[in-house]
Amino acid sequence: MDASVVGIRLASGVVAPLIKKLLRTEGAGAGLVDRPQRISAYVALREKRGLDAADLRGLADNLVREALRAPGERPLPPGEEAGVAAALAVTLHALGDLDLSDLEAVRLGPAAFARRLRAAAPDPGLSRDAALFHDRLVDLACLHVLNFFTQRSTFVAATLVEQSRLHAETIAKVDELLTRLPRQDARDTSFEERYVTYLALRHGALTIFGLDLPPDSARWPLDAAYVSLEAAAPAPATGPAGMAAAPAAYSLPADRLLADHPRTLLRGEAGSGKTTLIQWLAVTAARGAGGPVPYVLPLRTLTRHGERLPAPGAFLASTGSPLAGEAPEGWEGRVLRDGRALLLVDGIDEVPEAERAAARDWLAGLITAFPGNRWLVTSRPSAVRHDWLAGEGFAEVTLTPMNRESVRTFVERWHTAAEAPPDHARRLLDSLRSKPDLARLAGNPLLCGMICALHRERRGFLPTGRKELYAAALTMLLDRRDRERGLRLPSLAEEPQLQLLQRLAHWLNRNGRTEMDRSRAESLIDNALPAVPAARVLGGAREVYQHFLERTGLLRAPTVGTVEFVHRTFQDYLGARSALDEGGLGELTRHADDDQWEDVIRMAVALGRPRERTAILGDLLVRGSHRSLLLAYACLEEAAELEPELREDVLAAARTLVPPTRGPAATALGRVGPLILEVLPGPGDVTSHEQARLTVIAAGGVGSDRAIPFLARYANHPSPAVQEELCHLWPRFAAGEYAQEVLARMTPPPRWLAVESDERLAALAAFTGPPGLVVRHGVSRTALASFLRRQPVAELLLDGFDGGDDVGFLRDHTTLRRLTLRSWPGLRDLDALHGLPLEEVHLSPGNGMDVGAATVTWARLRALTLTEGAGPWSFHRLHPDARLRELAVEDAPGDLAGLGRQCALVRLELGHDWRPAGPAAWEELSRLERLEELAVHDAALEGLLAHTRLPALRTLRLHGEDELTPELEERLSLRFPDAEIEPYVTVFEQ
């Protein structure tokens, strides 16, 4: 008989009683006294307490008999029953001889335990079929024996003890192992300390452009060099309760970007300070104890050969860090998973256009895999569309040119670092004030540094345009520096060096790169040397390359074996020279719609002869795309000589682009420069408020004070959006001149005019009426008090203000109608506000202070918001004459006592944590018969449905994350048939 068909189909109810007779029971406990607990202690043989050989044979006979009675094919030939029963009794008797504990037996499992039992018993001497039947009976018996053990109370307790012992042994062994191996978290911490120290040193200094200083002072400490730039950022999603919507955009210091926007796409022109900002953020994070771990990821290096962008584990190796390979395995992933990383991705525009989609996928994949980290991605303005990373939650901001105060600071710091005589900085600032075109160039940090160097090198003589500035800088770097210092080096004129360098630049432009291998650079130089024999005075290609790298300051090696121009602007300038020398005008204009070629084309027009300019501009007009036409118009500023007819054709084409119809188009027009002011429409020539707003954006992007008279023409425009844009543009211009020419003439006076320094506050002149100000943390109490003494205001928002513990500077300020106090932890006293004719108030001081003594004195109050630590408050703490239309209370009392008196309420928001205290709350709420908008937690819906009547309700907004059930939605629609049910955002969203 095949062993696979020998089966014994006996119910547990038949087998269990028989096996139970074989074993004796035990009392409760863990069985720790008689250790170890052997199976023999449980077998109930006569000599083992209660079962003799006859009893055991009878038990075996019963098992065999019951097995043969089971349905199915008979597993045993007739006449062999007695032999199997005898053999089974002998095998079961061997239970008393097993040297196993019950724990060990259970751990073995039924099959292995049965094999151990059969091995302990004598050979039964049965036929093959009888032996198979015997073995199956032994298997069945062992299964029930083990089941008996697991049901014993002593087994459970003993098992727990055994497990505890094993756990203790395991812990001791692991502890011993850990004493021999360094802890992973300790290794991470140790490496991080080395990494951030290296990063702070690596990025903690800048090169002082254009100077040849001693080695110990050739680097400019970042702390001394950095000038905080401004970034134009989108406004917060909502404005304060009861007040006008926030402006469309606002300015903030660029180094605070990530505090407001954890994921930011930063746009900026070449040389505007994007890379320096990344260095500043990296160094600041590296120096902060317990702060984020920064990764500086220059895409020009990561995609040098079109390689796949790296996974986190390859970040250090891909950027050429000397610490690559020393990080504990998986360290980068742990930092990212914990949300501790600051990822600074520099230069989307330096990735070839065909590879940018892959770069975006790379970014999206990392963000999906590792949420919770902070990201800054930089790009030139036109490299990617305006919503390129919007789907990943990125806010878009744009670096604005340095204003006059920032230029002054930059110039003074540069001259201090260069150890120049004190009057040099003053003379340069005087020159910038007298030369508007040069001053506009100085708004770019790179060009400002070039201007400083040239001013020092040429003893005050300065070029006036961009082309002349680059040419002078190259002359200074390639020729005059070594010659005038009298260095005993082989002499090489400027032009041969330019010829070789422009070959490198043109190769980079053609291949969409900003970095190449050293071997590639040497090969390009070697191929060009026969045509430039003068350069052989330096030696072969390797020596020429080394000269460029070490002596000119135009090339640098970001990693071992790679090279790039010290800034992209030099690459563009030299690439334009090369294209003109090769006669490749068609190649230039074929790339008119490629952002990487924009400055190359503009420089080619500036450098070209009249017929070359004509050919380039003609081709741009023929292409006819929005971008090519805009580029043609921008090139007019570079064209020193041009046929009048062609100039008129370009002007006519530019007029088709204005007024702009979309935000990105308006921004692109502004980048053209002051020339665009000639074609932008005035207030009388626009046909809509939106056209007016976009025109103001375009003029504001010019980056020159020459735009101020144009913007002043819009000071009386009736559109609030235009007024907001004019306020937003203030930081881009000379503070005093803009305040006098634009802000002071605005009718009605400005609202949401942000002030972030005492200097800007002092620059504000008289207005046509009381303005509205947003005062931020950079303004002192003294300066604000002085301003308010001479200038009444109608609206005041103090955001992060740190001005003592009271608002005494507002005492008797009777023109004030709208007031917001946000994030002022030191505030303790509102007495000065008592009795003021306030109509709209938003209080969120963040310190739990009692505001009721003030609110009860405001008889003209129409809108009130109490949030973020305003403290407990009662609806009785309102003046009897107050007739609120809008009310938001984060910590509303449960019974809503006194709310019903505000029968004029239209909008009501009860905080996320509010729950009704009883029927009285619903009675108060039902008295608000004019209420149109209500926000409550969805936990209050049942009471709202059962007890409240709100006939005017049109919008019901719900706190809470759970979706409503269809049944609850239906009940709400029946109870409030005219109301829309919305998830809560804010009651006062405009």
Side-chain angles (χ1 to χ4, degrees), residues 875 887-890 892 896 899 905-915 922 925 928 931-941 944 950 953-960 979-989:
F875 296 105
L887 178 60
V889 184
E890 185 176 84
L896 303 183
L899 175 62
L905 268 178
V906 175
R907 300 178 181 179
L908 173 64
E909 192 257 303
L910 298 174
H912 183 279
D913 296 327
W914 179 81
R915 301 294 185 273
W922 303 122
L925 198 58
L928 305 179
L931 192 67
E932 297 178 4
E933 298 183 18
L934 173 65
V936 295
H937 196 280
D938 51 21
L941 286 181
L944 191 70
L950 296 172
L953 193 65
R954 298 294 179 268
T955 303
L956 177 62
R957 293 191 174 99
L958 301 176
H959 302 286
E980 293 186 7
I981 313 300
E982 299 178 1
Y984 176 78
V985 180
T986 173
V987 170
F988 302 108
E989 184 177 8

Side-chain angles (χ1 to χ4, degrees), residues 258-403:
L258 294 174
D260 287 20
H261 309 290
R263 297 179 187 175
T264 298
L265 173 60
L266 176 69
R267 298 180 190 266
E269 300 286 356
S272 61
K274 301 186 297 294
T275 300
T276 303
L277 173 62
I278 277 184
Q279 287 186 240
W280 176 260
L281 293 173
V283 170
T284 302
R287 291 175 178 171
V293 179
Y295 296 96
V296 179
L297 304 173
L299 290 178
R300 61 183 172 275
T301 297
L302 302 184
T303 63
R304 185 168 55 249
H305 301 298
E307 304 99 325
R308 287 174 58 89
L309 288 163
F315 280 174
L316 301 190
S318 299
T319 54
S321 171
L323 298 181
E326 295 190 23
E329 184 177 357
W331 168 71
E332 297 92 339
R334 287 189 290 276
V335 171
L336 286 162
R337 281 195 301 274
D338 293 343
R340 297 193 298 116
L342 169 60
L343 296 112
L344 303 166
V345 183
D346 192 20
I348 285 291
D349 56 286
E350 295 176 351
V351 176
E353 191 168 7
E355 299 175 17
R356 289 176 193 167
R360 190 198 178 286
D361 291 342
W362 172 72
L363 287 168
L366 287 173
I367 291 167
T368 301
F370 304 105
N373 297 289
R374 283 180 274 181
W375 292 80
L376 179 70
V377 180
T378 71
S379 172
R380 286 196 189 187
S382 58
V384 292
R385 66 179 188 270
H386 74 281
D387 59 348
W388 195 65
L389 285 173
E392 306 305 325
F394 275 70
E396 293 198 10
V397 301
T398 301
L399 275 179
T400 58
M402 290 192 295
N403 55 37

Side-chain angles (χ1 to χ4, degrees), residues 625-643:
S625 68
H626 186 285
R627 188 161 183 163
S628 67
L629 295 180
L630 193 61
L631 182 55
Y633 186 61
C635 287
L636 291 184
E637 191 175 23
E638 318 291 349
E641 180 182 348
L642 197 65
E643 290 294 330

Side-chain angles (χ1 to χ4, degrees), residues 270-559:
S272 61
K274 301 186 297 294
T275 300
T276 303
L277 173 62
I278 277 184
Q279 287 186 240
W280 176 260
L281 293 173
V283 170
T284 302
R287 291 175 178 171
V293 179
Y295 296 96
V296 179
L297 304 173
L299 290 178
R300 61 183 172 275
T301 297
L302 302 184
T303 63
R304 185 168 55 249
H305 301 298
E307 304 99 325
R308 287 174 58 89
L309 288 163
F315 280 174
L316 301 190
S318 299
T319 54
S321 171
L323 298 181
E326 295 190 23
E329 184 177 357
W331 168 71
E332 297 92 339
R334 287 189 290 276
V335 171
L336 286 162
R337 281 195 301 274
D338 293 343
R340 297 193 298 116
L342 169 60
L343 296 112
L344 303 166
V345 183
D346 192 20
I348 285 291
D349 56 286
E350 295 176 351
V351 176
E353 191 168 7
E355 299 175 17
R356 289 176 193 167
R360 190 198 178 286
D361 291 342
W362 172 72
L363 287 168
L366 287 173
I367 291 167
T368 301
F370 304 105
N373 297 289
R374 283 180 274 181
W375 292 80
L376 179 70
V377 180
T378 71
S379 172
R380 286 196 189 187
S382 58
V384 292
R385 66 179 188 270
H386 74 281
D387 59 348
W388 195 65
L389 285 173
E392 306 305 325
F394 275 70
E396 293 198 10
V397 301
T398 301
L399 275 179
T400 58
M402 290 192 295
N403 55 37
R404 285 187 180 181
E405 292 93 334
S406 296
V407 170
R408 184 186 69 248
T409 302
F410 184 100
V411 169
E412 290 172 348
R413 291 182 179 180
W414 191 97
H415 282 81
T416 299
E419 299 178 356
D423 63 328
H424 279 211
R426 179 183 52 78
R427 291 205 303 267
L428 174 55
L429 291 172
D430 290 342
S431 295
L432 293 176
R433 279 191 288 270
S434 63
K435 298 178 180 180
D437 290 340
L438 194 63
R440 183 167 64 87
L441 294 177
N444 180 294
L446 172 73
L447 298 184
C448 193
M450 290 172 59
I451 290 169
C452 290
L454 287 168
H455 182 266
R456 183 179 187 273
E457 185 79 10
R458 295 182 165 204
R459 297 175 176 82
F461 174 76
L462 287 171
T464 56
R466 190 183 297 266
K467 180 191 76 171
E468 293 78 14
L469 187 61
Y470 290 151
L474 288 169
T475 298
M476 176 180 65
L477 295 171
L478 297 179
D479 181 31
R480 292 181 59 188
R481 286 175 62 199
D482 282 355
R483 177 164 50 83
E484 293 182 4
R485 286 195 305 272
L487 296 179
R488 296 183 179 181
L489 295 171
S491 177
L492 181 59
E494 177 184 348
E495 186 59 30
Q497 297 182 74
L498 290 175
Q499 289 294 326
L500 295 175
L501 286 166
Q502 70 189 35
R503 307 290 178 94
L504 305 183
H506 199 40
W507 186 93
L508 290 168
N509 287 339
R510 278 178 165 170
N511 290 276
R513 304 291 177 189
T514 58
E515 188 177 298
M516 68 171 72
D517 288 340
R518 172 176 179 159
S519 59
R520 171 78 66 180
E522 291 181 356
S523 175
L524 290 169
I525 294 171
D526 190 51
N527 292 337
L529 278 177
V532 191
R536 290 195 179 277
V537 68
L538 299 176
R542 178 170 296 181
E543 289 74 23
V544 172
Y545 169 84
Q546 206 66 30
H547 168 80
F548 288 150
L549 191 64
E550 295 177 357
R551 298 304 314 153
T552 68
L554 272 175
L555 298 182
R556 64 183 176 193
T559 63

